[in-house]
């Protein structure tokens, strides 16, 4: 009670001006950044943090905290100011002074993992709001598993015009409205300004109508009027629908010459203007110097949720779910899922089947979902093609969140960003599918899975021209290489059921790396016929068929491994010894030590086969080696005809082997 009174004692404007001035001064010192947005949203953020947000700055990872997502990541100084003022230990005034400098926690845009209290990496507009949908959905799933007394937090988002203009926001809003994620509240920085000037240059949307059309509760308020803001948030938190509050604000609020103008958006205010701002806001303090009474008031605010957190901890430790949840939070029970699949691996080898790897993946999921209900699957309207729905799963619906399968609809981009949100929340592992070619539709969010180091598993089927008749629009060509170009992303392309299982095991074990599992539509013959306990695929590349003193090395991934195996047998008859190397994950192989790499990549000539472009294979191949794959778009025809047409055939490999060997003998 006392703490609340202390907060009331300090004038709202002083609290919000502390945010404004920290932001202005930090941007000025860094000589870059965006002061306008934090100045404009300081009032809304102050009301949110002092009156609504459930948090305890001394325990930033409390799992039942309300989440705050700054989707408008360019306004990063807003969140840095809030975290500093609320007394988060992880951030000091020195960090604020070091805004945007090398190795500082206060990066240009908020980065997950750099600073406790930053819930997700934002900056690419529209991603944050979609992450927030995933977080709000996870809260519902966890509440349904373990009870609403343990999981009952809200997810607040600040999004600007930019976030709402981005296409991904439409996918995310529509999905959230459909599932009725009532604890999701978006505070829209309705300032009518973006970089190029007034938003009227490029949009005339009625945002309230737009959200209403997607089943949202919508409100408007004056974003500089604390009481109005408070009343609106009060209504939002009690409405069962997700809420949008359009907060009418002035960008650069407090700047005599730049308020309301795009000139306050993305560059320092300048020394003279800052003097005028200090005067207008009646802020007579030196840069980075927050008066003790204001700082104390903010610091106390940061701790006012402590009592509730402690009460919750007690409830939690007394709960019958404590051990289970704790094992999940600590990662124990989700980190060993892969080890529980060994018997299944034995059965695959004992009873080898010719299957499409998408089907093999479904079989793995049938096993996995028997062991864990924390794997949250889904597909962007291609469930039957991606084979992502396991026998034991049922759908999550607006009325029932106890399932573990999400019908994302045709919303690939949001699906990927929602999966990032699910991975960020805690307690769940998301996987989701579409066609590999449509990773293009997910790519910005896939890149963020990798940048944040999240265990998100992308099940991407129809992985080559082998998909056949759907033709070049649906046939991935450059995609494997383009995805391999993303750092900290592992692209798996297994060749049969055993490798598919091993790819899944590897993906699950990669706690800080997202994975793409690229799977075939067409049936593939088993290549792994002997049980080996070791996860061979996890090396990225391994010797599948060895010959004494081999003359040539055939490297292949996925569906093309069968070609290499057949060629090796045929060459044997001609007395040519070909080693066959399976390459289920090039990214993983690149990470192996030199010793392992040189065992595989010794001086024997090489031929690599993959029904995609050569680019990512260059590292493996010297000038004299040969790559057999694609260098143009595909075509619409049965798979067999396409492989022939594009010369990805045994005959082509054999003639290439002979070309290399003859050349060598010259
Ligand atoms: C996907 C993406 N496109 C472009 C940008 C560059 N950018 C950063 S902020 C911004 C304008 C955003 O306008 P708004 O959300 O209204 O922010 P305000 O200017 O009101 O702070 C743009 C285009 C970006 N960060 N992300
Ligand atoms: Mg704007």
């Amino acid at each position: 009670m006392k703490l609340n009174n202390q907060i009331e004692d300090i004038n709202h404007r002083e609290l919000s001006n502390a945010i404004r001035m920290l932001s202005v001064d930090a941007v000025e010192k860094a000589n870059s950044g965006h002061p306008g947005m934090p100045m404009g949203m300081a009032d809304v953020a102050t009301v949110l943090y002092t009156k609504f947000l459930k948090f305890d700055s001394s325990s930033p990872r409390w799992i039942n905290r309300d989440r705050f997502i700054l989707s408008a990541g360019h306004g990063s100084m807003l969140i840095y100011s809030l975290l500093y003022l609320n007394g988060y230990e992880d951030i000091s005034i020195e960090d604020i002074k070091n805004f945007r400098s090398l190795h500082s926690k206060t990066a240009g845009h908020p980065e997950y993992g750099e600073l406790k209290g930053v819930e997700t990496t934002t900056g690419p507009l529209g991603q944050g709001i979609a992450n927030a949908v995933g977080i709000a959905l996870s809260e519902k799933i966890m509440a349904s598993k373990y009870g609403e007394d343990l999981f009952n937090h809200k997810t607040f988002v600040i999004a600007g015009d930019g976030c709402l203009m981005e296409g991904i926001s439409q996918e995310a809003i529509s999905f959230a409205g459909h599932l009725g994620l009532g604890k999701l509240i978006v505070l829209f920085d309705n300032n009518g300004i973006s970089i190029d000037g007034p938003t009227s240059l490029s949009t005339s949307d009625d945002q309230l109508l737009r959200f209403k059309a997607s089943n949202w509760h919508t409100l408007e308020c004056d974003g500089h009027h604390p009481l109005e803001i408070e009343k609106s948030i009060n209504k939002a938190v009690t409405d069962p629908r997700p809420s949008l509050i359009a907060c009418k604000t002035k960008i650069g609020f407090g700047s005599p010459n730049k308020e309301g103008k795009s000139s306050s958006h993305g560059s320092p205010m300048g020394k003279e203007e800052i003097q005028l701002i200090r005067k207008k806001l009646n802020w007579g303090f030196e840069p980075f110097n927050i008066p003790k009474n204001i700082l104390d008031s903010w610091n106390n605010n940061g701790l006012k949720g402590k009592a509730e957190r402690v009460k919750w901890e007690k409830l939690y430790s007394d709960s019958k779910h404590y051990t289970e949840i704790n094992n999940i939070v600590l990662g124990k029970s989700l980190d060993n899922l892969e080890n529980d699949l060994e018997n299944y691996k034995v059965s695959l080898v004992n009873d080898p089947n010719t299957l499409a790897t998408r089907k093999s993946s479904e079989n793995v999921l049938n096993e996995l979902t028997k062991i864990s209900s924390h794997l949250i699957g889904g597909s962007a309207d291609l469930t039957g093609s991606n084979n992502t729905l396991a026998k034991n799963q049922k759908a999550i619906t607006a009325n029932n969140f106890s399932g573990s399968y999400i019908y994302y609809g045709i919303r690939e981009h949001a699906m990927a960003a929602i999966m990032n949100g699910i991975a960020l929340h805690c307690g769940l592992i998301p996987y989701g599918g579409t066609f590999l070619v449509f990773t293009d539709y997910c790519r910005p969010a896939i890149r963020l899975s990798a940048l944040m180091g999240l265990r998100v598993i992308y099940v991407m089927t129809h992985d080559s021209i082998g998909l056949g008749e759907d033709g070049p629009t649906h046939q991935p060509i450059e995609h494997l290489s383009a995805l391999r170009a993303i750092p900290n992303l592992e692209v798996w392309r297994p060749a049969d059921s055993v490798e598919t299982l091993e790819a899944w095991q590897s993906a699950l074990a990669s706690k800080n790396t997202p994975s793409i599992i690229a799977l075939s539509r067409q049936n593939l013959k088993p290549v792994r016929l002997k049980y080996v306990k070791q996860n061979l695929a996890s090396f990225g590349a391994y010797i599948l068929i060895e010959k004494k003193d081999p003359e040539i090395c055939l490297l292949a991934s996925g569906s093309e491994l069968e070609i290499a195996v057949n060629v090796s047998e045929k060459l044997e008859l001609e007395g040519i010894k070909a080693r066959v190397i399976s390459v289920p994950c090039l990214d993983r192989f690149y990470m192996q030590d030199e010793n392992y790499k040189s065992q595989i990549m010794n001086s024997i000539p090489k031929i690599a086969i993959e029904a995609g472009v050569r680019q990512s294979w260059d590292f493996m191949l010297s000038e004299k080696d040969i790559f057999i794959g694609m260098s143009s778009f595909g075509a619409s025809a049965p798979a067999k005809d396409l492989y022939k047409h594009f010369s990805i055939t045994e005959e082509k490999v054999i003639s290439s082997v002979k070309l290399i060997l003859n050349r060598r003998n010259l």
Side-chain angles (χ1 to χ4, degrees), residues 19 23 27 33-39 41 68 70-82 99-100 107-110 122-123 125 158 189 265:
I19 298 174
S23 304
V27 170
H34 302 73
M37 184 272 177
M39 294 172 84
M41 282 301 274
F68 169 64
L70 184 67
S71 191
H74 57 280
S76 54
M77 267 314 303
L78 178 73
I79 189 165
Y80 298 149
S81 304
L82 286 163
F99 178 48
R100 292 191 156 221
H109 294 86
T122 52
L125 296 169
I158 286 185
D189 180 13
H265 169 98

Side-chain angles (χ1 to χ4, degrees), residues 463-475:
D463 68 347
S464 75
I465 53 166
L467 68 88
E469 295 82 348
D470 269 346
T473 55
H474 282 51
Q475 290 161 356

Side-chain angles (χ1 to χ4, degrees), residues 171-192:
E171 297 179 20
I173 290 161
S174 158
F175 180 81
H178 175 70
L179 282 186
L181 302 177
K183 290 188 203 155
L184 175 65
I185 293 146
V186 174
L187 302 156
F188 166 33
D189 180 13
N190 183 18
N191 62 16

Side-chain angles (χ1 to χ4, degrees), residues 381-525:
D381 202 46
L382 287 169
T383 295
S385 302
N386 302 144
N387 298 52
T388 34
L389 178 61
K391 274 192 282 207
N392 321 298
Q393 287 177 309
K394 63 183 173 80
I396 286 168
T397 68
N399 300 321
N400 188 346
F401 289 85
S402 67
S404 60
Y405 194 79
I406 302 170
Y407 288 104
Y408 284 103
I410 308 108
R411 303 184 183 101
E412 295 85 0
H413 195 180
M415 173 177 75
I418 288 168
M419 289 203 287
N420 284 342
I422 296 173
L424 284 164
H425 182 266
C426 106
L428 303 168
I429 303 176
Y431 73 86
T434 181
F435 291 151
L436 182 62
V437 78
F438 300 136
T439 49
D440 285 343
Y441 276 57
C442 313
R443 195 172 171 94
I446 294 176
R447 187 171 192 272
L448 285 168
S449 314
L451 179 59
M452 288 192 264
L454 301 178
R455 180 169 47 183
V456 175
I457 303 173
Y458 294 92
V459 180
M460 299 303 191
T461 66
H462 298 57
D463 68 347
S464 75
I465 53 166
L467 68 88
E469 295 82 348
D470 269 346
T473 55
H474 282 51
Q475 290 161 356
I477 298 294
E478 73 281 21
H479 298 76
L480 292 166
S481 280
L483 290 164
R484 287 173 185 142
I486 298 180
N488 192 39
L489 173 68
E490 291 187 333
V491 182
W492 298 91
R493 189 165 184 256
D496 72 356
S497 295
V498 175
E499 277 199 2
T500 303
L501 168 64
E502 289 181 339
W504 265 103
Q505 288 176 307
S506 306
L508 289 166
S510 295
K511 222 178 145 192
N512 302 311
T513 301
S515 305
I516 306 262
I517 308 184
L519 300 164
S520 74
R521 173 182 183 243
Q522 72 274 35
N523 280 342
L524 305 181
K525 266 208 244 147

Side-chain angles (χ1 to χ4, degrees), residues 475-600:
Q475 290 161 356
I477 298 294
E478 73 281 21
H479 298 76
L480 292 166
S481 280
L483 290 164
R484 287 173 185 142
I486 298 180
N488 192 39
L489 173 68
E490 291 187 333
V491 182
W492 298 91
R493 189 165 184 256
D496 72 356
S497 295
V498 175
E499 277 199 2
T500 303
L501 168 64
E502 289 181 339
W504 265 103
Q505 288 176 307
S506 306
L508 289 166
S510 295
K511 222 178 145 192
N512 302 311
T513 301
S515 305
I516 306 262
I517 308 184
L519 300 164
S520 74
R521 173 182 183 243
Q522 72 274 35
N523 280 342
L524 305 181
K525 266 208 244 147
V527 289
R528 287 278 295 280
L529 303 171
K530 264 192 240 148
Y531 174 72
V532 182
K533 187 166 185 342
Q534 207 171 22
N535 182 332
L536 294 178
S538 75
F539 291 90
Y542 64 93
I543 298 174
L544 178 72
I545 299 175
E546 184 58 311
K547 297 276 155 78
K548 193 163 182 294
D549 302 325
E551 297 157 83
I552 186 110
C553 232
L554 305 176
L555 302 122
S557 79
S559 42
E560 286 69 72
L561 191 61
E562 198 173 314
I563 298 177
V565 169
N566 292 345
V567 165
S568 156
E569 284 166 9
K570 288 188 177 162
L571 289 175
E572 177 86 52
L573 300 176
E574 297 188 35
I576 301 172
K577 289 173 182 158
R579 168 190 286 172
V580 176
I581 297 175
S582 175
V583 190
C585 183
L586 263 182
D587 315 270
R588 185 60 82 86
F589 180 60
Y590 291 162
M591 304 295 284
Q592 300 303 325
D593 61 34
E594 288 310 315
N595 194 18
Y596 183 78
K597 273 193 234 169
S598 65
Q599 272 175 32
I600 297 222

Side-chain angles (χ1 to χ4, degrees), residues 185-202:
I185 293 146
V186 174
L187 302 156
F188 166 33
D189 180 13
N190 183 18
N191 62 16
I193 290 286
S194 64
I195 293 182
D196 279 354
T199 50
S200 57
L201 289 171
S202 56

